[in-house]
Amino acid sequence: MTKNIINNNSADEIQHDGLAECDDCAICRAMAMADKRGYELSEKELLDVFAEQNAENAKNTKMPETIITYRCEGCGETVMTSDDQEDEAECFACGTGDFLKELKREPITPELIAVGMKKSAESIVTNLQKAYEAGKTAGFEKDEEEEMLQALAKAKEMRDSVLNIVEEINLER
């Protein structure tokens, strides 16, 4: 049924909730046709059309092949981006790309992704610990300390989960 809904409409029929939608999006076409026919798509129909749209998007998407590592000469941070970025790379700490110096380019591998995941997870915990210490020094407002401790505990759980995933990746190799 989803295939019929998607393929039996024209660009000028596409309206959803009173707004013009994209005419090349399978999801919008399916929802528009269902609206025109006076019914709502079932959850399964929506999932089917969503899967179809994702498959179509995957065909048209160039997957990144290279990780580019930069050092920000302004603050010393290391920045990693992929070769598929349309925008200029910028330092996450400084918010500018003016001081970035390219260090290396590496092909994307599972090991490289695992290293990046580990660094990101560690960075989140470290930054939350610094924020907690700064809050203790400055004095927390009501309930702020408890919220920070909860956030830190969740971040540590997430970090441990990431480290387990990284360990599994390394064991499989």
Side-chain angles (χ1 to χ4, degrees):
M1 164 124 82
T2 304
K3 283 282 186 198
N4 292 336
I5 292 171
I6 293 169
N7 295 326
N8 292 334
N9 68 324
S10 64
D12 60 338
E13 295 174 328
I14 298 170
Q15 292 286 319
H16 184 66
D17 294 333
L19 301 173
E21 298 291 338
C22 56
D23 61 351
D24 61 346
C25 170
I27 297 167
C28 293
R29 288 194 309 268
M31 292 177 76
M33 188 53 68
D35 282 349
K36 185 175 180 181
R37 294 180 180 172
Y39 72 93
E40 289 186 26
L41 296 175
S42 70
E43 184 175 336
K44 178 172 181 354
E45 288 172 316
L46 279 172
L47 289 173
D48 288 347
V49 77
F50 185 73
E52 181 180 327
Q53 184 65 45
N54 281 341
E56 186 63 33
N57 290 348
K59 286 184 212 171
N60 300 325
T61 302
K62 177 188 173 275
M63 296 303 291
E65 297 174 359
T66 305
I67 292 288
I68 306 165
T69 304
Y70 300 91
R71 163 88 49 208
C72 178
E73 294 181 341
C75 70
E77 286 291 321
T78 300
V79 178
M80 296 172 78
T81 63
S82 62
D83 61 350
D84 69 332
Q85 278 194 305
E86 294 176 13
D87 299 330
E88 290 285 322
E90 65 179 41
C91 177
F92 302 110
C94 296
T96 180
D98 296 345
F99 306 107
L100 292 181
K101 178 181 178 187
E102 186 175 323
L103 299 177
K104 61 184 172 180
R105 291 176 178 254
E106 301 173 271
I108 294 177
T109 62
E111 292 83 8
L112 189 59
I113 292 170
V115 167
M117 290 170 55
K118 183 178 175 184
K119 283 181 182 178
S120 292
E122 291 290 352
S123 177
I124 290 169
V125 171
T126 299
N127 289 332
L128 279 172
Q129 286 172 329
K130 289 177 183 177
Y132 176 75
E133 292 302 321
K136 277 180 73 174
T137 301
F140 284 108
E141 296 289 323
K142 181 182 178 188
D143 298 328
E144 284 181 337
E145 183 172 17
E146 183 59 33
E147 289 174 12
M148 282 296 294
L149 289 170
Q150 289 174 1
L152 190 54
K154 287 180 183 178
K156 287 179 178 179
E157 286 178 31
M158 184 265 317
R159 178 199 57 203
D160 293 344
S161 295
V162 168
L163 293 177
N164 286 336
I165 292 169
V166 168
E167 187 176 311
E168 287 177 25
I169 290 171
N170 289 334
L171 291 176
E172 291 175 2
R173 302 254 165 231

